[in-house]
């Protein structure tokens, strides 16, 4: 019958089953864990919540959070695991913090300027890694924050780290 014919045509070819498993589009992790898209590895090493960033001993480079806000300082390591291709990183384009209500918080330039070890965007050579901190200005009363790293702005591969 026609129904039986359709059933036999939906089997998965063996070649597809044996290929290397692709990482899921969205990976949810905790601080200290590492996500990958088989080209880059991203690790959230640490998260701190502070009301003031004053690491450079320079009175003009102090970031003070306004009332009701605080800085979420995320310490990340990004590693290029490809052996033959330099990767370019833009934390401004690829990262954000999301709260329990769905609001996004982008990096805060004043906060980043006051950090001693801010993450430096740019190229990562094959097999090399970069580490640094990114500051985001978030409300102090948030109960659930997630650090979002978009591996690829086009394919939608994303790592979600629970940070609060």
């Amino acid at each position: 019958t026609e129904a039986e014919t359709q059933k036999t045509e939906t089997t998965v070819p063996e070649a597809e089953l044996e290929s290397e498993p692709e990482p899921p589009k969205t990976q949810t992790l905790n601080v200290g864990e590492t996500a990958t898209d088989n080209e880059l590895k991203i690790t959230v090493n640490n998260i701190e919540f502070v009301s003031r960033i004053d690491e450079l001993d320079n009175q003009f480079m102090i970031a003070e959070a306004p009332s009701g806000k605080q800085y979420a300082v995320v310490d990340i390591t990004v590693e290029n695991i490809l052996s033959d291709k330099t990767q370019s990183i833009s934390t401004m384009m690829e990262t954000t913090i999301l709260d329990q209500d769905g609001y996004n918080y982008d990096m805060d330039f004043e906060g980043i300027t006051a950090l001693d070890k801010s993450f430096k965007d740019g190229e990562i050579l094959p097999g090399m890694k970069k580490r640094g901190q990114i500051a985001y200005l978030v409300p102090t009363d948030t109960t659930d924050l997630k650090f979002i790293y978009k591996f690829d702005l086009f394919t939608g591969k994303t790592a979600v780290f629970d940070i609060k």
Side-chain angles (χ1 to χ4, degrees):
T1 66
E2 198 173 304
E4 289 177 81
T5 309
Q6 286 176 342
K7 279 184 190 168
T8 56
E9 289 173 5
T10 58
T11 59
V12 179
E14 278 185 49
E16 281 184 36
L17 295 173
E18 292 173 19
S19 67
E20 189 171 318
E22 189 160 311
K25 285 243 189 244
T26 302
Q27 304 169 59
T28 303
L29 305 108
N30 294 310
V31 173
E33 294 181 329
T34 301
T36 186
D37 66 347
N38 291 336
E39 292 185 9
L40 289 172
K41 280 184 178 176
I42 170 89
T43 305
V44 172
N45 305 303
N46 189 27
I47 175 80
E48 283 185 311
F49 294 95
V50 295
S51 59
R52 177 184 169 102
I53 302 173
D54 181 10
E55 297 182 355
L56 299 176
D57 197 26
N58 179 334
Q59 65 185 14
F60 302 107
M61 306 287 241
I62 297 171
E64 196 87 49
S67 178
K69 304 256 184 170
Q70 64 184 339
Y71 288 103
V73 179
V74 184
D75 183 314
I76 64 168
T77 300
V78 181
E79 183 178 358
N80 180 357
I81 56 176
L82 296 178
S83 59
D84 59 351
K85 184 179 166 200
T86 297
Q87 303 257 48
S88 191
I89 303 299
S90 168
T91 51
M92 188 176 81
M93 299 287 291
E94 297 161 350
T95 71
T96 188
I97 286 185
L98 185 72
D99 74 9
Q100 70 276 2
D101 297 321
Y103 290 108
N104 278 299
Y105 302 94
D106 293 326
M107 61 174 45
D108 182 84
F109 292 106
E110 191 178 323
I112 290 169
T113 306
L115 288 169
D116 182 32
K117 295 180 176 157
S118 63
F119 191 90
K120 307 289 187 244
D121 284 356
E123 295 187 336
I124 303 178
L125 296 172
M128 302 295 279
K129 62 175 87 169
K130 277 189 179 196
R131 182 173 179 172
Q133 298 172 324
I134 313 169
Y136 302 84
L137 201 53
V138 299
T140 49
D141 61 0
T142 54
T143 55
D144 180 23
L145 290 176
K146 297 182 182 331
F147 173 75
I148 313 289
Y149 185 89
K150 297 177 195 124
F151 285 106
D152 188 319
L153 301 173
F154 305 107
T155 63
K157 283 195 178 157
T158 303
V160 178
F161 291 87
D162 285 317
I163 58 172
K164 182 179 182 184

